[in-house]
Amino acid sequence: MPSTHQVTLNAPLDMHLHLRDGEMLNHIASASAKTFSAAIIMPNLVPPVSSKEEVVAYKKRILSAIGQEDFTPYMTLFFKPSYDKAFLESVQNEITAIKLYPAGITTNSEGGVSGFDVEELRPALEAMAELNIPLCVHGETNGFVMDREAEFVSIYEKLATAFPKLKIIMEHITTKASVDALEKFENLYATITVHHLLITLDDVAGGMLQPHLFCKPIAKRPEDREALLKIALEGHPKVMFGSDSAPHPKHAKEACGCAAGVFTAPIALQLLVELFEKNDASLENLQAFVSGNAQNIYGVTPGNKKVLLEKKAFKVPADYKGVVPMYAEEEIAYSIKEITHG
Ligand code: DOR
Ligand code: ZN
């Protein structure tokens, strides 16, 4: 991307976002709603969003929290093996995808799946394939923390083979092993966060511990980050931007027992523009990564928000209503200059 000092992104999409609920939702929703046209909203509330009534009510609360912003929440349900075709048909118009968590693997995932028995999952996953509802997956085992994602690849392969018509999105991939799997199976897709394109484990724990960079999956090795960067920068058609922006109150992060999650929503697009420019990747590829690929994969047509960014230093605030963002109080190279619709 030439350093033209101004870049316009059309209809940016965040295909993996935590908006939370209650006061937190009201505080942080606008950070995403301002700059993105739409986002896939994660269902890991307490209790998880797992019925039609809950998803409809949660969408209402989100729309009320974003006020006048032109932003579409693409809703998801928390996967349960007991979902049957009649239920999925009844809820299909309210959701864009269903999110599967392995039991207990991350924040509020206790009610997730254990065992990954294909026959147990078959009725729900076949119905989803028939109804063309994508399955988003948090792909980690409960093994050694650095190996969890690579170990999960065999489960992705099992699911991709058993359900060839099911669109499976490998969420927030962090390893070369996942990038390799993506290339091997037609029905595997992936989201990548901006923080996993920028940091490795060294940034989290190589020096003084950085709680605001601690997330799940944990950032991995330099060669993993390189593999992620390569497919993001080339605008690989099976890869979408998904921030996994996951706010927690400052006291829950700066604590003994730090909550997992990096809050990037207010600076994600600025960081992506800087990253693509630094790596000489084309604006066309960035546009594919932040919108075009997701439109093709999910078959969605978002509202046409245009975000104009300029190369002008932006000092990231220390916090957004009690939530500390990535790079708090540091300068990043790009700022948002103007947002238009049309
Ligand atoms: O770091 C994370 N935070 N990873 C997840 O999978 C969940 C998320 C959250 O909800 O806080
Ligand atoms: Zn997440």
Side-chain angles (χ1 to χ4, degrees), residues 13-16 149 169-175 178-179 182 189-198 224-236 238-245 264 268 272 275-276 289-290:
L13 298 176
D14 182 347
M15 301 310 280
H16 184 130
E149 184 175 301
I169 324 285
M170 309 162 79
E171 294 294 332
H172 44 55
I173 59 170
T174 62
T175 56
S178 291
V179 172
L182 184 71
Y189 303 85
T191 59
I192 302 182
T193 74
V194 69
H195 51 282
H196 289 120
L197 292 173
L198 288 167
D224 293 307
R225 191 183 63 126
E226 287 308 312
L228 302 174
L229 254 182
K230 180 172 181 295
I231 55 171
L233 295 172
E234 70 189 31
H236 191 299
K238 294 177 90 181
V239 171
M240 306 166 271
F241 173 62
S243 70
D244 199 12
S245 180
T264 52
L272 284 173
L275 183 70
F276 272 62
F289 182 59
V290 296

Side-chain angles (χ1 to χ4, degrees), residues 19 21 28 95 117 129 146 194 198 201 207 261 267 271-272 275 284 289 322 338 342:
L19 280 183
D21 209 348
I28 54 96
I95 60 169
D117 178 68
M146 287 295 279
V194 69
L198 288 167
L201 183 62
I267 54 165
L271 293 178
L272 284 173
L275 183 70
E284 197 184 343
F289 182 59
E338 196 185 15

